[in-house]
Amino acid sequence: MTDTAAHPRRPDRTDVRSAPVRLPMAYVLPVRAHDDRGLDELTGYLRELSRWVDVVVVDGSAPALFARHAAAWRGLVRHVPPDPALRGRNGKVLGVLTGVALARHEHVVVADDDVRYDLPALRAVHDLLDRVDLVRPQNHFDPLPWHAWWDTGRTLLARAFGGNWPGTLAVRRSTFLAMGGYDPDVLFENLELVRTVRAYGGSEAAPAWLYVRRLPPAAGHFLGQRVRQAYDETARPAWLLAALAVLPATAVALAARRPGLLLRAGLVTVAVAEVGRRRAGGAQVFPAHTTLAAPVWLLERGVCAWLAVGRRLRGGVPYADSRLRVAAHSTRTLRRRSARRRPDDLVLWVENGAAPR
């Protein structure tokens, strides 16, 4: 579905007063904290968010932190642990399965703990879900420290070729339950959810004009995720092969003593990033200088892609207390699974009426 076909209007961020007090939507936030950093800011966001939508926080934190969260969020949100009946190695997916099951509304937003919706964006998502089964917004970092600037190069290149993969999706609850959720043993869980909806026959909108703010991660966390993010591309072979070609191409140009080739390649990369920046009014949220990050990010991805292949050969990527080998299943594989599935094959939380105990 094209951007304009999905929704011809961008959300009006000045028309908040005319909005209804509450939207008939649920907001599912899976969290697993390791310390209290950012708790006050997140609590402030949940306080504002709870004025607009129902919020379900599925908290996989250790007992002491869970208790602190419960005290901070009492009266603001429904705060629950992941359903113990569920099994899977990706804790975020278990949180989503639990939260969607508990949602009281058909329209459900799923978001990471660093995503910050405003009311106009929620209204736009709500309108889109009247027409499609799944919505994939676009994230932008604000503020923009050096590592967020670096990663914005990836965002702009992705936007030039169809759209970035954000830390949030929105889905129709009925579709989610009917297809039996999605696999909790994959690394690239957002791609897995989108492909599962497609395999089930659902429709998707990826509006390039729908921008949702995202807080930048800590610099240490950013650096620790470089190979893991490159590993996600094992689920998209064409993108992986393109990344793997970067280092050999650079080596050939240097061996031939033709640095001009590298300069031209860098300029082309910046130009492509600029296409992504300007797409659907993106210049309003992506500063012009972020296009310069694209060649830097591309070279980094070229290195990390080879490291990711090495991890694949060694059995996958460490994740929490386990190791995940599969980034995401192909749509064809998921379509075969869907065709073989009978109603009594659905996961336990669906069979129990989508209400985990």
Side-chain angles (χ1 to χ4, degrees), residues 268-284:
V268 169
T269 303
V270 169
V272 173
E274 181 65 15
V275 171
R277 189 181 80 89
R278 295 191 180 190
R279 183 184 175 197
Q284 299 176 19

Side-chain angles (χ1 to χ4, degrees), residues 16-40:
V16 175
R17 292 184 180 180
S18 63
V21 175
R22 289 184 67 82
L23 295 170
M25 296 179 71
Y27 188 104
V28 173
L29 173 62
V31 299
R32 186 180 181 184
H34 300 286
D35 52 51
D36 278 340
R37 284 180 295 182
L39 178 58
D40 290 341

Side-chain angles (χ1 to χ4, degrees), residues 241-292:
L241 289 174
L244 290 173
V246 171
L247 280 190
T250 302
V252 168
L254 292 175
R257 297 183 179 180
R258 300 186 64 182
L261 289 177
L262 297 179
L263 178 60
R264 286 194 288 273
L267 292 175
V268 169
T269 303
V270 169
V272 173
E274 181 65 15
V275 171
R277 189 181 80 89
R278 295 191 180 190
R279 183 184 175 197
Q284 299 176 19
V285 295
F286 299 111
H289 58 79
T290 54
T291 59
L292 300 177

